[in-house]
Each structure stands twice: as C-alpha cells, then as structure tokens.
C-alpha cells in the first residue's frame, strides 16, 4: 500500500477537524476538533516514518501526543472556569479582545 | 618671566577673581568681595606692566610675540588655538583696561557698599574685565569672537544688575540684542577673511592678506564692512548706538567701566587691530570715518538737550568714540589710541564724580533738580571740573592733545577729509557746550534742598519713598537703587583715592604724546603700525593752527556755556523756544529709537505674527503634523477592523495564512 492512502486519510481527518474548529461554537467541540487535527498530523508522521523505515516520525508523534495532552488540560481547565463563572459556553460570545 | 607668560597671567588674575568670588558668594561678608575683586585686577595690572617692560626689551622689529597654550581644534584647514598676541597695541590696551579697571573696582568697593548684590557685582565686574582682556589679547579670530561675546554678556549682566527695575532689565536686553547684532557682523566678517586666508591666526592672516586680496576687492571690502558692523554695535556708533544711553540704568561704576573706559573702545581696538585688512579696503575705512564723524556731531547735539546727568555723559562718550572711530578709520591709529587712553581717564573720572553726585541727590539724575552742589560736594566738583576740562580739550589737559592729533591727521590726508576736520572742531565746540552746561547747572546757582541738607545738617539726603525716576515705580531698595547706603566721594577714602589718581592722569595723560616735545606713544606703537600705507602730510603751520584753534574753541564753548546757563538764566529757554523744531529733534534723540522701531522692530514683530498665525498654524500644524497623524490614524483604522475578537475568524485566518504560505513554497519548489 503506498503512502498516498495514508496521507489522503490524514488530510481528510485534518480537514474535518479544521472545518469543525471553524464552524462549531461550543469550546468543548472545538477542542475535540483540534484533537482530530493533531491526530491527523500524527497519522501522517507515522505514515512517513513507515515509508522511510526509521523511528524519527514516531518520536515526533509521541511528542505531539504530549503537547496535545497539555493543551487539552489547559483547554478543559478554561472551559471549567467558564462554566463556574456562569459564562456562556459559546466562543462567539467571548469577544472582548475586539480591537 | 617672558612677556607672553606675564600676558597669560594678566588674563588669569581676573578669571581667578571671578571664580573665587562666584564660588564663595555666600561666605564673603562685608567688603571682602570688593577687596578680592580689586586685588585681582590690581594683580592683572601689575602683570600688564611687567608685560610692557618685557616687550620693551625686544628689538623694535620683534615686538610681535605670540604664545599658544593648547590647540582647541586642529584639523585640515582649521587652526583653532588658544593663542594670545602680545604686541605694542595689545600691551597698550591691557595697561589701559587693567589700570582704569583697578581704579573703578576700588571706587566700587565703597560705592556699592550695603547693596545686597555686592559679591555678585564684583564677580560680574571681574568677569567683564577678563572678557575685555581676552578680547584685546586674542591672537586669533576665534578668541577675539569669544572675548567679544563675553563682553556683551557681561555688559548685559551688569546693566540689568538691579534686576527688580523694569527699566534696567529692558535696557540690558536692548544692549544684549544690539551687541549680538555686532557679534554676527564680526563672525560673518571673519568668514569672509578666513575664506581666502585659510587661517584664523591674526598675524598669519595679516601676512597673507596682501597676497590673497586685491586692494579694494569685493570680499575684503565686505569682510571689513561686516567687521565695522561689529565695531559700531560695540562702540555705540550710529545707527547701533541706542543701547548706550539706556545702559545708564546700570550702577554708575558700571557706566564708568563699560560705557566709558573699556567696552565701547573695543570697536576702536578692532579697527586698529585689523588695520592691514582695512588698508586693503579703503571704502570700508571711509564708511567708518563718515559714521564716526556723524556720530560725534549727532551725539553732541543730543547731549545738549538731554536732562539726565548720566545720559549726557553717555552721549558724550558716543561722541568721543566717534572721534576715535574716525581717527582709526582714516589711518590715525596712534592718535586714535591716544585719544582712547586719555578718554578712558577723564571719562571714568566724570562717571565717578557723577556717581558721587547722584548719591548726594538720593538717586535723582535729572539736571533740572540739581543746582548749587559746589559747596556741598567740593571734591566731587573739583574732579568733575577736571574731567570736564579734559573732555572739552582745554590746554594743557590730556584731551586737548589727543583730540587735536586725530584732527591734524585728518587735515593731512587732504581732499574730503577736510570735512572731517571741520566736523571734528564743530563737535569740539558742542562738547564744551554740553559738558559745561552739565557742570554749571549741577554745581552753580542756588543750592537745591539736597545740597542744603548736606551743608547744614551734614548728612546725605535719603528719599522717604524711593521711586525710579525713569518710570515712577516704587524702588525695591533691597535689590535696587538707591540701596540703604548712599556714598559720596567726600566720605569714602577708596572713592577719593581712585578719583584722585584718575584726575591726575586726566591732567597729565597728554604727556605721552605732546607735539614737537614728546612722542613716547608714537615710538611705542610704531612697530605695530609700521606697515600702514595711510599717511598724512601736514605742515608745522597746520599743527600750530590746529592747536590754537582747538584751544580757542574749547575756551569759547565754555564762555558761551557760561553766558547761556549762568550769566543770563533766561537765555537757554528762549533759544529753545526760538528753535522749536531743532529742540524737539534733539530732545527726541533724532528719533533713532522710533526709526529703528518702525524699520526693524515692527516689521520683525509683524513677520513673527505672520509666522505664528499663518505659517505655523496652517503649514506646520495643519499640513505637516495634521497630515502625518491623519495618515497613521487611517492606517491603524484599517488594521483595527481585522481585530474582531471572534475566535473562529482568527482560526480561519490562521488556516488560510498557513495554507497560503504552504502553497507558495510548494509552487516555488
């Protein structure tokens, strides 16, 4: 099986994730979509790793997972904080940084 | 000790005096500052005499000594060094300046006592003397300009010395502004000369000048005319003279020092010093001679109408400086400097006597209020009389010989210089008239109340509520005139000592150059002016005719003054009433203030308003500043629109951006 299929699946998942980030308003779902994008990248990395036959890509994938874990921690923490302060769970409502 | 070392010490002493008095300003009680200041100038004078003696030891051809202490800036084409030039001319000047200044300091020790600014006064006074000595000792154009500007600054500080008086502060500003005009002339003139000679050094410039300038060429004439502007501003020649009468707002010793003996002679010195250049520019010399002659006549006529005692003497100074400027402009260098020296003696004496007189009058300076002070102030009267006789040029007083030697030289030049000769003797008549008008009105006649108080009660008149006679403002006696003490020469030994020495010099000062008898001054100055091409051919007959004419005119003017102001008291007002137009012209000082106001001040103010209202508001504020801020504001509004605060828009932009960058690199590869 050529690398093309792996990359196609990866690209598809990345596009789904990116589309989710752009269209959904619930921060929880946005986080999930972000995870999709990261894992699409992981899939591509592992595909490349297999193609070249060395482990560099896998190590990258592991690191991405660590970063993703950190990011989820921070992101979920933010969502919990929003919930506690009874703020709306909607990213479009949170626009105080408007210039 | 060499001559140049002594000359450096001449400069160092007053500078040290300034620094010591300035630094210990608060600690010096009593008259300490005065004595320190006097001692500093006295030391300077002693070194000036040593310089004189040392210079005399050189052969006559080698009396032009220079000494460089350090290089201020030395690059290609610029040779700025701290150089002094010691030659007979500068030695004569330092001796006169330091000598007369010593006596004036001595006088001020008593005269200013009780004034709250006593230490400040002496710090300024020492600084002034330092500046003047720097000016005359300067060996290159740079130091000359520095000294020149310092003198202007020092005069500003001293004229505005009583800074609570509005008249004094405005007089100080006027003097400073007009002097800066002269500074500009001097600097621009220097550039004209430097452009061709490529050196700032005076001696080198003079040596190079005949080779680089054709006689009467445009550049050297322009340079010399600009130097003349500087000389006119400093020496109060028409039309830059209006600061000098106003400068009488300063304390009287300041008038004696700055406006009689030293500062105003700087212009005369400048022309004498630059004589190798002026000889290449005969047109500039002619301008100087004509302006000098005009000044001596116009100032004389104003002196006839002025009623303020010090202003009469100030106009007389202008008139006498007119003689000197005329003299050095036509090539009578020795005669001009001779008159400078004798004038320094008798004019300082006159101002000192006037100071004593004004003290006795409780700060009143108007001649209308003075009369019969002869018995109240015998010593002052005697000094004033000696000064007046010397000023009028009565033989054998010093002014007699010096004035006549200038006019003799003018006659010897022939041609249109005869007009100067006539103007000079006409001016001499006016001099006698206004001088003795002043003396007769102040000292003869019925004693005024102030004189009676001094004679009968033995104490000096103090006004109950002192007001500034110029504008009627109530005086701040703490920092202003008259201070708590009024000092008259009869009761202060230092004043009497200073005036006695000057009176002696005013009588015998002429001895250095009596025609056919002594010619010490001529021999002394000969090396400096040996290269002079402007020569005068006069016969013995002309010499004797001039001397007799001078004596006759001076005696006649005194006689006329006696008739008009003493013998027939009603005559002066009657003459004034018969000539109303002339009287108003003289009383309004030939409308010079008004003319300058109309020609310079008001157009200047109009241009300033135009610049503020039109140029600054419309072009600078509206177009330049408004334009640039508008541009930044519009640009930022454009960028600000993208900052919506919506997270998903940011994410979308990021995606598009990264995709765009990725695509770009893909297409590139």
């Amino acid at each position: 099986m050529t690398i093309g299929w792996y990359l196609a699946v990866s690209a598809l998942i990345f596009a789904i994730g990116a589309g989710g980030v752009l269209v959904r308003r619930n921060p929880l779902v946005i986080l999930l979509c972000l995870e999709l994008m990261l894992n699409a990248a992981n899939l591509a990395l592992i595909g490349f790793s297999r193609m070249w036959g060395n482990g560099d890509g896998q190590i990258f994938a592991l690191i991405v997972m660590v970063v993703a874990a950190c990011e989820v921690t921070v992101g979920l923490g933010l969502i919990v904080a929003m919930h506690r302060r009874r703020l709306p769970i909607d990213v479009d409502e949170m626009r105080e940084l408007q210039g | 000790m060499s001559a140049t070392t002594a000359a450096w010490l001449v400069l160092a002493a007053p500078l040290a005096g300034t620094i010591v008095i300035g630094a210990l300003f608060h600690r010096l009680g009593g008259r300490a500052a005065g004595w320190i200041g006097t001692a500093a100038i006295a030391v300077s004078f002693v070194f000036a005499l040593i310089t004189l003696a040392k210079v005399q030891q050189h052969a006559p051809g080698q009396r032009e000594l220079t000494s460089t202490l350090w290089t201020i800036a030395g690059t290609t084409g610029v040779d700025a060094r701290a150089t002094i030039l010691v030659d007979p001319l500068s030695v004569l000047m330092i001796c006169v300046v330091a000598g007369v200044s010593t006596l004036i300091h001595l006088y001020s020790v008593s005269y200013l006592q009780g004034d709250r600014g006593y230490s400040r006064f002496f710090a300024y006074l020492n600084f002034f003397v330092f500046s003047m000595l720097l000016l005359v000792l300067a060996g290159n154009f740079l130091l000359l300009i520095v000294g020149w500007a310092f003198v202007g600054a020092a005069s500003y500080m001293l004229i505005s010395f009583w800074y609570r008086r509005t008249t004094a502060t405005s007089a100080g500003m006027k003097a400073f502004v007009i002097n800066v005009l002269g500074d500009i002339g001097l600097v621009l003139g220097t550039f004209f000369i430097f452009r061709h000679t490529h050196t700032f050094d005076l001696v080198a410039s003079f040596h190079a000048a005949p080779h680089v300038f054709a006689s009467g060429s445009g550049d050297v004439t322009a340079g010399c005319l600009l130097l003349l502007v500087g000389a006119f501003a400093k020496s109060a020649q028409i039309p830059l003279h209006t600061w000098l009468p106003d400068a009488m707002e300063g304390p009287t010793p300041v008038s004696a020092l700055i406006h009689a003996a030293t500062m105003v002679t700087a212009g005369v010195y400048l022309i004498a010093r630059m004589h190798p250049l002026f000889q290449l520019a005969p047109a500039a010399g002619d301008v100087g001679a004509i302006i000098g002659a005009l000044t001596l006549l116009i100032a004389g006529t104003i002196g006839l109408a002025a009623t303020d005692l010090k202003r009469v003497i100030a106009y007389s100074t202008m008139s006498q400086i007119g003689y000197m400027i005329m003299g050095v402009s036509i090539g009578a260098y020795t005669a001009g400097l001779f008159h400078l020296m004798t004038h320094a003696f008798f004019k300082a004496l006159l101002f000192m006597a006037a100071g004593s007189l004004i003290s006795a009058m409780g700060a009143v300076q108007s001649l209308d209020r003075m009369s019969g002070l002869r018995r109240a102030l015998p010593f002052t009267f005697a000094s004033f009389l000696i000064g007046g006789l010397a000023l009028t040029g009565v033989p054998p007083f010093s002014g007699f010989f010096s004035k006549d030697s200038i006019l003799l030289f003018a006659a010897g030049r022939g041609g249109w210089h005869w007009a100067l000769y006539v103007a000079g003797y006409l001016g001499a008549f006016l001099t006698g008239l206004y001088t003795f008008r002043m003396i007769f009105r102040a000292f003869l006649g019925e004693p005024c109340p102030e004189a009676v108080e001094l004679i009968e009660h033995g104490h000096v008149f103090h006004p109950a509520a002192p007001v500034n006679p110029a504008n009627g403002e109530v005086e701040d006696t703490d920092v202003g005139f008259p201070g708590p003490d009024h000092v008259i020469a009869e009761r202060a030994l230092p004043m009497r000592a200073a005036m006695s020495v000057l009176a002696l010099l005013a009588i015998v000062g002429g001895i250095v150059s009596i025609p056919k008898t002594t010619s010490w001054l001529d021999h002394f100055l000969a090396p400096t002016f040996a290269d002079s091409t402007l020569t005068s051919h006069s016969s013995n007959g002309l010499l004797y005719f001039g001397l007799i004419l001078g004596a006759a005119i001076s005696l006649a003017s005194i006689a006329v003054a006696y008739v008009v102001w003493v013998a027939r008291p009603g005559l002066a007002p009657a003459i004034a009433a018969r000539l109303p137009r002339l009287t108003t012209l003289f009383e309004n000082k030939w409308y010079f203030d008004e003319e300058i106001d109309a020609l310079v001040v008001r157009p200047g103010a109009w241009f300033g308003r135009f610049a503020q209202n039109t140029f600054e508001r419309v072009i600078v504020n509206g177009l330049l500043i408004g334009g640039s801020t508008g541009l930044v504001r519009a640009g930022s509004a454009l960028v600000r629109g993208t900052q919506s605060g919506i997270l998903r828009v940011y994410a979308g932009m990021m995606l598009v951006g990264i995709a765009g960058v990725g695509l770009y690199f893909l297409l590139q590869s």
Side-chain angles (χ1 to χ4, degrees):
Chain A
M1 214 151 72
T2 56
I3 186 84
W5 291 105
Y6 293 102
L7 290 185
V9 172
S10 165
L12 191 66
I13 296 172
F14 188 87
I16 292 169
V21 169
L22 291 183
V23 299
R24 299 303 296 265
R25 292 189 298 185
N26 189 327
L28 210 56
V29 180
I30 289 176
L31 271 183
L32 289 177
C33 292
L34 275 177
E35 286 304 305
L36 275 181
M37 289 164 74
L38 287 171
N39 283 312
N42 278 352
L43 187 59
L45 283 171
I46 291 180
F48 287 128
S49 169
R50 186 184 154 87
M51 186 182 90
W52 293 111
N54 70 7
D56 291 1
Q58 300 190 17
I59 292 165
F60 262 118
L62 282 174
I63 291 170
V64 169
M65 280 178 196
V66 172
V67 173
C70 301
E71 175 240 303
V72 165
T73 315
V74 175
L76 285 178
L78 281 173
I79 292 166
V80 170
M82 282 160 68
H83 180 70
R84 285 221 181 124
R85 302 179 72 180
R86 310 241 174 260
L87 290 172
I89 305 295
D90 182 346
V91 290
D92 282 6
E93 302 281 319
M94 317 278 285
R95 48 196 300 181
E96 282 165 30
L97 281 179
Q98 187 179 17
Chain B
M1 191 191 296
S2 69
T4 49
T5 314
W8 279 113
L9 290 170
V10 166
L11 277 180
L15 183 63
T18 311
I19 293 169
V20 167
I21 299 171
L24 300 178
F25 172 59
H26 285 296
R27 307 235 175 98
L28 295 172
R31 294 179 177 181
W35 289 119
I36 293 173
T38 311
I41 308 298
V43 168
S44 182
F45 180 55
V46 169
F47 281 118
L49 291 180
I50 294 173
T51 315
L52 173 68
K54 295 284 170 187
V55 164
Q56 288 296 83
Q57 289 172 1
H58 291 263
Q62 285 144 9
R63 289 191 185 153
E64 202 172 55
L65 312 164
T66 57
S67 160
T68 301
L69 215 54
W70 75 91
T71 302
I72 300 167
T75 58
T76 320
V78 178
D79 53 341
R81 297 192 177 85
T83 306
I84 56 168
L85 169 60
V86 179
D87 68 348
L89 173 60
S90 60
V91 169
L92 174 77
M93 287 299 289
I94 58 173
C95 287
V96 172
V97 169
V100 174
S101 301
T102 308
L103 296 173
I104 293 169
H105 274 71
L106 184 64
Y107 176 90
S108 314
V109 166
S110 287
Y111 191 76
L112 262 279
Q113 76 183 25
D115 198 291
R116 216 175 76 167
Y118 193 75
S119 304
R120 187 166 60 94
F121 182 79
F122 281 95
Y124 287 172
L125 220 52
N126 271 14
F127 175 64
F128 172 77
V129 177
F130 164 72
S131 316
M132 187 69 197
L133 291 170
L134 183 66
L135 194 166
V136 296
L137 278 174
N140 59 26
F141 281 103
L142 285 183
L143 279 196
L144 180 72
I145 290 167
V146 169
W148 197 264
F150 274 7
V151 166
S155 74
Y156 164 75
M157 294 191 287
L158 283 167
I159 294 166
S160 307
F161 178 72
W162 285 318
Y163 53 82
R164 295 270 168 86
R165 265 186 168 186
T166 48
T167 48
T169 48
S170 60
M173 282 188 266
K174 189 173 183 180
F176 191 69
V177 168
I178 294 181
N179 271 304
V180 166
L181 203 66
D183 296 352
I184 293 169
L186 182 64
V187 170
L188 292 180
T190 302
F191 278 131
F192 266 99
I193 291 151
F194 178 73
R195 227 182 106 206
H196 292 275
T197 60
H198 304 293
T199 174
F200 282 124
D201 193 72
L202 287 177
V203 178
S205 289
F206 298 154
H207 283 291
H211 307 294
V212 295
F213 291 117
S215 181
S217 71
D219 274 6
V220 72
T221 308
C224 286
L225 283 174
L226 284 165
L227 293 181
L228 271 184
V229 170
F232 288 168
K234 201 62 95 200
S235 291
Q237 299 296 296
I238 284 167
L240 298 175
H241 67 281
T242 54
W243 65 271
L244 182 67
D246 285 14
M248 294 300 122
E249 286 293 333
T252 309
V254 172
S255 309
L257 180 61
I258 298 190
H259 310 120
T262 55
M263 171 178 172
V264 290
T265 59
V268 182
Y269 167 78
L270 183 74
I271 300 176
R273 169 58 78 209
M274 301 295 167
H275 72 276
L277 299 171
F278 274 90
Q279 285 177 352
L280 294 169
D286 293 348
V287 169
I290 291 166
I291 294 284
L294 281 178
T295 306
L296 80 88
L297 286 177
I298 290 179
T301 57
I302 303 173
L304 271 182
T307 52
D308 183 309
L309 177 71
K310 273 173 78 181
R311 280 177 194 241
V312 176
I313 308 179
Y315 281 112
S316 141
T317 301
M318 260 177 72
S319 170
Q320 299 301 308
I321 303 281
Y323 279 102
M324 298 175 212
I325 293 272
M326 186 175 97
V328 292
S329 296
I330 58 175
Y333 303 112
T334 309
L337 290 163
F338 180 31
H339 196 51
L340 188 158
M341 187 181 87
T342 57
H343 173 258
F345 299 150
F346 60 69
K347 194 49 70 69
L349 177 65
L350 275 175
F351 267 116
M352 287 181 179
S356 172
L357 193 59
I358 291 165
S359 270
M361 292 293 294
V364 168
Q365 303 186 5
S366 171
L367 280 172
D368 295 338
R369 292 269 304 275
M370 297 175 190
S371 66
L373 285 152
R374 181 167 48 95
R375 276 197 298 136
L377 300 166
F379 181 79
T380 306
F381 173 61
S383 327
F384 212 112
L385 195 62
I386 291 169
L389 288 170
L391 172 61
T392 311
V394 174
F397 291 86
S398 56
F400 172 65
F401 300 105
S402 56
K403 191 186 295 177
D404 283 330
S405 62
I406 294 176
L407 298 177
L408 179 67
F409 194 96
R413 287 287 303 276
W416 65 274
H417 293 94
W418 281 102
L420 302 178
Y421 186 76
V422 174
Y425 279 111
L426 207 58
F429 185 74
L430 289 173
T431 308
L433 221 50
Y434 65 68
T435 309
F436 278 86
R437 164 179 177 263
M438 187 163 65
I439 292 175
F440 290 150
R441 287 183 67 172
F443 289 104
L444 300 188
E446 285 299 305
C448 57
E450 289 87 352
V452 171
E453 186 167 340
L454 197 59
I455 298 166
E456 289 181 3
H457 305 287
H459 60 79
V460 182
F461 170 76
H462 279 66
V467 290
N468 183 347
N471 57 3
E473 277 178 5
V474 176
E475 293 268 23
D476 181 344
T477 50
D478 214 18
V479 198
F481 197 73
D485 291 352
H486 291 196
V487 189
I488 56 174
E490 278 70 12
R491 304 201 179 156
L493 185 63
M495 284 164 76
R496 226 164 40 239
M499 287 162 74
S500 306
V501 175
L502 279 175
L504 189 68
L505 288 171
I507 297 170
V508 303
I511 205 164
V512 295
S513 181
I514 297 174
K516 304 277 173 205
T517 315
T518 56
S519 52
W520 297 331
L521 193 68
D522 308 64
H523 283 306
F524 179 63
L525 288 174
T528 304
F529 301 115
D531 54 350
S532 171
T533 53
L534 301 173
T535 49
S536 162
H537 306 286
S538 53
S539 60
N540 275 341
L542 199 60
L543 168 68
Y544 295 129
F545 173 72
L547 289 177
I548 293 166
L549 185 65
I553 282 183
S554 59
L555 292 173
S557 64
I558 296 173
V560 170
Y562 185 80
V563 170
V564 173
W565 282 287
V566 181
R568 294 173 60 188
L571 195 56
I575 295 172
R578 282 286 291 281
L579 304 165
R581 278 199 163 150
L582 217 53
T583 312
T584 13
L585 182 67
F586 293 169
E587 277 175 355
N588 288 297
K589 302 162 246 167
W590 291 60
Y591 297 101
F592 269 106
D593 277 319
E594 288 79 2
E595 282 154 24
I596 291 172
D597 190 54
L599 288 176
V600 181
V601 179
R602 265 188 257 154
W606 176 84
F607 183 72
R609 273 196 306 279
F610 166 78
Q612 190 201 9
N613 293 338
T614 311
F615 184 73
E616 188 178 346
R617 220 164 267 174
V618 175
I619 295 181
V620 174
N621 277 352
L623 217 64
L624 297 178
I625 298 176
S628 50
T629 52
L631 209 66
V632 172
R633 196 168 290 154
S636 61
L638 203 70
V639 179
R640 207 168 51 228
T642 63
Q643 302 290 318
S644 58
I646 302 171
L647 184 67
R648 298 185 303 144
V649 174
Y650 292 168
M653 285 204 276
M654 212 162 91
L655 269 178
V656 171
I658 291 171
V661 172
L663 267 177
Y664 173 78
F665 282 112
L666 274 178
L667 291 176
Q668 288 282 309
S669 60

